[in-house]
């Protein structure tokens, strides 16, 4: 008898979603992915396409004719479909805002109707320009000037969080809210601005690594395999472990972007140089970066026992291997 569960992953052809789908199938579950392939790719699913327990639907969430039927027979929904990457958000703010708000509203309504476990992937961007050294889920948030497109992403994701939380409070829908902090690994594309795949790709080609600003801004990079453990753990149990609450997901080991560039060059044995580029040239005039972005992981640890395990050197080597010509 198959004791596996049924999962629905929106945005499942993306970097995180495709790894999640693989893991769940490996654990004996049934998985359906809905993805409009706007930023995801069918290639990401090549290992699992054709498996009997896997279904792939190419569609926007809101345009999927079978959506209600799918939600009705699913156990857990991972809602990952969203506009991704700072570059894309700045280039297409209206598309990004609409996408983040409308698609979430659509699937959340069905999750409420059928009382399904619903995990929302929000973002560390919501902490905005908070001066805190370690972002805590209970912190007040400090979003930048609304005339700068960048912050529309944080606001749209925050509204998703509000919608999810209201669904829990008003309807008892078992929602789990996660804020992802710089999740990285094989398959992530640098096309939408993500720094690590861009650096590794450039290093492998002995091309300059472009550091924006003075490179003192820092981030904490968490391997996809670690973050998947946290995501899956939070949806386990009846009610799910993370129900009605918000959790940071990431690692708290921090590195400046200039040091990251040096590390990538050393570990890949590259001949690349580092080029410093002003923010306004890299993005848009008036661009505001987050100078630090480090999660407090106490709540996640207390609830799930989760601790990130993969060191940054290993992460870089892993990405380099996936990008190297075979
Ligand atoms: N960044 C950079 N060079 C690049 C891409 C990004 O210096 O080619 C910087 C970017 O300005 C930011 C950091 O790297 O300070 C992380 O950028 P990413 O877009 O990966 O993530 P986020 O800003 O969302 O943390």
């Amino acid at each position: 008898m198959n004791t596996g569960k049924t999962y629905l992953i929106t945005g499942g052809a993306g970097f995180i979603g495709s790894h999640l789908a693989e893991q769940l199938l490996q654990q004996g579950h049934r998985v359906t992915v809905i993805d409009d392939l706007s930023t995801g790719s069918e290639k990401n699913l090549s290992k699992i396409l054709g498996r009997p327990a896997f279904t792939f639907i190419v569609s926007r969430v809101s345009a999927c004719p079978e959506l209600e039927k799918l939600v009705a027979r699913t156990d857990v929904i991972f809602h990952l479909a969203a506009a991704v990457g700072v570059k894309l958000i700045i280039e297409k703010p209206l598309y990004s805002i609409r996408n983040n708000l409308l698609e979430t509203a659509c699937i959340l309504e069905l999750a409420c109707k059928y009382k399904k476990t619903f995990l929302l992937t929000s973002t560390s961007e919501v902490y905005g320009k908070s001066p805190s050294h370690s972002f805590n889920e209970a912190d007040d948030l400090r979003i930048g000037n609304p005339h700068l497109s960048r912050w529309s992403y944080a606001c749209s994701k925050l509204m998703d969080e509000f919608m999810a939380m209201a669904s829990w409070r008003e309807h008892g829908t078992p929602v789990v809210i996660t804020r992802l902090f710089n999740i990285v690994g094989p398959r992530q594309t640098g096309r939408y601005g993500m720094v690590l795949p861009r650096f590794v790709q450039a290093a492998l080609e002995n091309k300059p690594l472009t550091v924006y600003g003075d490179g003192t801004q820092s981030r904490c990079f968490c391997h996809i395999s670690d973050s998947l453990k946290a995501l899956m753990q939070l949806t386990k149990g009846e009610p799910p472990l993370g129900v009605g609450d918000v959790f940071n997901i990431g690692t708290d080991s921090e590195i400046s972007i200039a040091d990251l560039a040096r590390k990538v060059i050393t570990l890949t044995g590259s001949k690349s140089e580092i080029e410093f580029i002003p923010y306004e040239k890299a993005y848009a005039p008036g661009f505001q970066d987050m100078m630090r972005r480090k999660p407090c992981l106490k709540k996640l640890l207390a609830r799930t026992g989760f601790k990130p395990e993969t060191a940054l050197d290993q992460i870089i080597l892993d990405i380099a291997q996936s990008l190297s010509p075979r």
Side-chain angles (χ1 to χ4, degrees):
M1 194 182 70
N2 187 348
T3 51
K5 286 189 166 188
T6 304
Y7 286 84
L8 178 61
I9 307 176
T10 71
F15 155 58
I16 298 178
S18 62
H19 282 286
L20 179 61
E22 269 172 30
Q23 280 274 318
L24 292 168
L25 286 167
Q26 213 169 343
Q27 292 172 6
H29 302 296
R30 294 167 297 278
V31 176
T32 297
V33 157
I34 305 178
D35 198 301
D36 66 359
L37 298 181
S38 54
T39 53
S41 133
E42 202 167 310
K43 211 168 125 223
N44 287 339
L45 301 170
S46 57
K47 283 193 189 160
I48 52 178
L49 277 171
R51 290 215 196 153
F54 180 63
T55 308
F56 178 38
I57 298 170
V58 181
S59 173
R60 290 176 71 76
V61 171
S62 56
C64 175
E66 312 99 297
L67 190 67
E68 179 152 0
K69 241 193 265 164
L70 287 170
V71 170
R73 58 170 188 248
T74 207
D75 295 304
V76 179
I77 302 163
F78 282 101
H79 179 48
L80 276 68
V84 287
V86 175
K87 205 160 166 269
L88 179 71
I89 304 321
I90 288 173
E91 283 167 12
K92 291 181 163 182
L94 191 56
Y95 161 82
S96 307
I97 296 164
R98 287 178 63 82
N99 206 9
N100 289 350
L101 293 178
L102 303 180
E103 302 299 298
T104 304
C106 169
I107 189 149
L108 192 51
E109 193 179 332
L110 292 173
C112 284
K113 183 168 172 185
Y114 294 97
K115 288 263 181 301
K116 300 295 180 173
T117 298
F118 180 92
L119 183 138
L120 173 73
T121 47
S122 180
T123 167
S124 52
E125 242 341 87
V126 300
Y127 291 101
K129 302 199 290 182
S130 163
S132 165
H133 288 330
S134 169
F135 296 159
N136 187 296
E137 295 91 341
D139 285 349
D140 287 341
L141 307 176
R142 196 188 284 181
I143 304 295
N145 187 318
H147 291 238
L148 299 174
S149 294
R150 173 182 193 143
W151 303 114
S152 65
Y153 179 62
C155 282
S156 63
K157 281 297 200 172
L158 258 184
M159 283 313 298
D160 284 356
E161 289 194 19
F162 276 115
M163 278 195 280
M165 200 53 98
S167 304
W168 159 243
R169 295 206 177 113
E170 288 179 34
H171 300 289
T173 311
V175 306
V176 178
I177 299 170
T178 56
R179 293 178 178 162
L180 306 187
F181 283 69
N182 297 86
I183 310 300
V184 291
R187 270 185 220 156
Q188 186 179 39
T189 163
R191 209 176 310 141
Y192 308 107
M194 277 73 166
V195 68
L196 202 44
R198 288 166 76 86
F199 279 5
V200 175
Q201 184 73 54
L204 292 176
E205 294 170 4
N206 294 312
K207 289 184 177 159
L209 273 62
T210 52
V211 169
Y212 303 156
D214 65 5
T216 56
Q217 74 272 32
S218 63
R219 295 292 186 272
C220 303
F221 296 94
C222 181
H223 195 267
I224 179 72
S225 58
D226 287 330
S227 53
L228 289 186
K229 282 182 202 150
L231 285 172
M232 292 189 292
Q233 195 64 21
L234 285 167
T235 62
K236 297 246 164 82
E238 281 300 332
L241 266 185
V243 76
D245 218 336
V246 185
F247 298 87
N248 292 334
I249 293 189
T251 178
D252 47 12
S253 158
E254 196 176 6
I255 186 166
S256 76
I257 298 301
D259 282 347
L260 179 73
R262 289 181 203 110
K263 202 183 242 310
V264 168
I265 290 172
T266 308
L267 285 172
T268 55
S270 171
K271 295 187 182 66
S272 293
E273 311 235 307
I274 298 176
E275 212 174 88
F276 289 85
I277 295 186
Y279 280 119
E280 51 278 17
K281 236 175 124 188
Y283 295 108
F287 178 82
Q288 290 178 339
D289 201 3
M290 294 168 80
M291 293 312 286
R292 287 187 82 177
R293 184 190 275 175
K294 178 174 163 180
C296 168
L297 297 172
K298 279 190 192 144
K299 185 153 100 174
L300 184 63
L301 177 68
R303 194 74 64 91
T304 65
F306 168 82
K307 265 196 189 149
E309 283 165 2
T310 318
L312 184 55
D313 287 20
Q314 186 54 46
I315 295 177
I316 293 170
L317 292 173
D318 209 12
I319 297 173
Q321 197 192 14
S322 74
L323 291 174
S324 296
R326 272 149 230 267

